[in-house]
Amino acid sequence: MSAEPAFQIKTDMNTSFRAADNAEPTAAVEPKIKVENLNFFYGNHQALYNISLNLLPQRVTALIGPSGCGKSTFLRTLNRMNDIIPGVRLNGEIRIDGNDIYAPNTDVVTLRKEVGMVFQKSNPFPKTIFENIAFGPRVYGLKDRTKLEEIVEKSLVRADLWKEVKDRLHTSALDLSGGQQQRLCIARALAVDPEILLMDEPASALDPRSTAKIEDLIGELRSHYTIVIVTHNMQQAARVSDYTAFFYEGSLVEFGDTREIFTKPRERQTEDYITGRFG
């Protein structure tokens, strides 16, 4: 391929590719999430076309593509957040740990406990830091104060926020900075002990320093969770993800190892997007 990329991705010792050299081959790992022939509609408008891909456990998968290409719609199918929109429908299949999440007997509340979500705009509750984190466990029936305190501390530690807020747990979460609020929202999602974490452009509204903290946090969380992240930032996708899926006009154009997608894409359309010819 002769075209020069719009940005350079180094491949020396300082490379920021997240894809691990010791990652197990796809064929040897049972997928955490298996999507087959997924079509999705908002009323009469089809937003996703025949999507099929396998997402591996304890890996970070980035969803990239231009605005309106179906990335966020696809992300929200993974925990049925689209269900709250009137007139939506889908066909095809999504299985998590082998279970069809759109089967009639699926408990959607339990599904959303297992598949947490962090949104583009931080949305802390107008409560204390402690109450933000304890909210989810309380919803699911936990009342023991000692256990709640343990969960709050563990979640904040895991979200790399504990040291910054441990002496102000009973002050308003709204007093935190934007970056701290987003990490608080991540901690809140982790408090109910999910296995999968969905992140819809979690750093797009943050300054570079806060963005770096979120990216570092994703790197730390990947050893515990299966993470799927939507991002418009090509450099961010290269830095944080093991696998990348490129969406365009509701279709999955290409999916594979992040390093391969960014250095040797199979599809010309993928190359054109990551080198900045369109998007």
Side-chain angles (χ1 to χ4, degrees), residues 51-241:
I51 307 296
S52 295
L53 75 167
N54 293 336
L55 304 180
L56 300 185
Q58 296 180 332
R59 298 288 186 265
V60 180
T61 299
L63 310 181
I64 65 171
S67 296
C69 69
K71 304 183 301 296
S72 293
T73 294
F74 174 74
L75 191 76
R76 292 193 300 265
T77 66
L78 302 180
N79 68 346
R80 294 185 55 170
M81 283 294 291
N82 289 320
D83 288 14
I84 64 176
I85 303 172
V88 301
R89 59 188 174 88
L90 62 75
N91 56 58
E93 194 171 79
I94 300 176
R95 291 186 175 271
I96 295 178
D97 291 328
N99 299 310
D100 181 358
I101 68 171
Y102 284 88
N105 61 345
T106 297
D107 184 333
V108 178
V109 174
T110 299
L111 171 68
R112 291 177 185 156
K113 178 178 181 292
E114 296 173 354
V115 187
M117 190 159 188
V118 177
F119 297 91
Q120 179 177 0
K121 180 175 171 49
S122 58
N123 58 343
F125 302 141
K127 299 174 179 287
T128 66
I129 294 168
F130 183 95
E131 291 301 326
N132 264 267
I133 307 302
F135 181 84
R138 281 197 172 118
V139 167
Y140 290 104
L142 182 62
K143 298 179 180 179
D144 186 282
R145 180 73 181 189
T146 300
K147 290 184 179 178
L148 283 171
E149 290 174 348
E150 291 173 355
I151 289 172
V152 168
E153 179 175 350
K154 178 182 176 181
S155 301
L156 289 169
V157 167
R158 190 155 277 183
D160 194 26
L161 191 57
W162 173 252
K163 291 181 181 179
E164 298 170 45
V165 303
K166 63 181 180 180
D167 297 322
R168 49 193 292 207
L169 294 179
H170 300 292
T171 62
S172 174
L174 301 179
D175 292 337
L176 297 174
S177 70
Q180 288 174 325
Q181 287 187 13
Q182 191 64 304
R183 281 183 285 147
L184 177 72
C185 292
I186 293 173
R188 189 174 65 196
L190 300 181
V192 295
D193 199 25
E195 296 185 6
I196 298 165
L197 192 59
L198 310 179
M199 309 181 88
D200 194 354
E201 297 195 70
S204 65
L206 303 180
D207 61 81
R209 183 176 180 182
S210 297
T211 295
K213 279 185 171 289
I214 295 293
E215 291 182 4
D216 289 343
L217 177 57
I218 292 170
E220 295 166 8
L221 293 175
R222 67 189 289 274
S223 61
H224 301 281
Y225 305 95
T226 302
I227 299 175
V228 188
I229 177 173
V230 168
T231 179
H232 278 100
N233 187 316
M234 296 299 97
Q235 292 93 336
Q236 183 174 84
R239 287 191 296 262
V240 306
S241 68

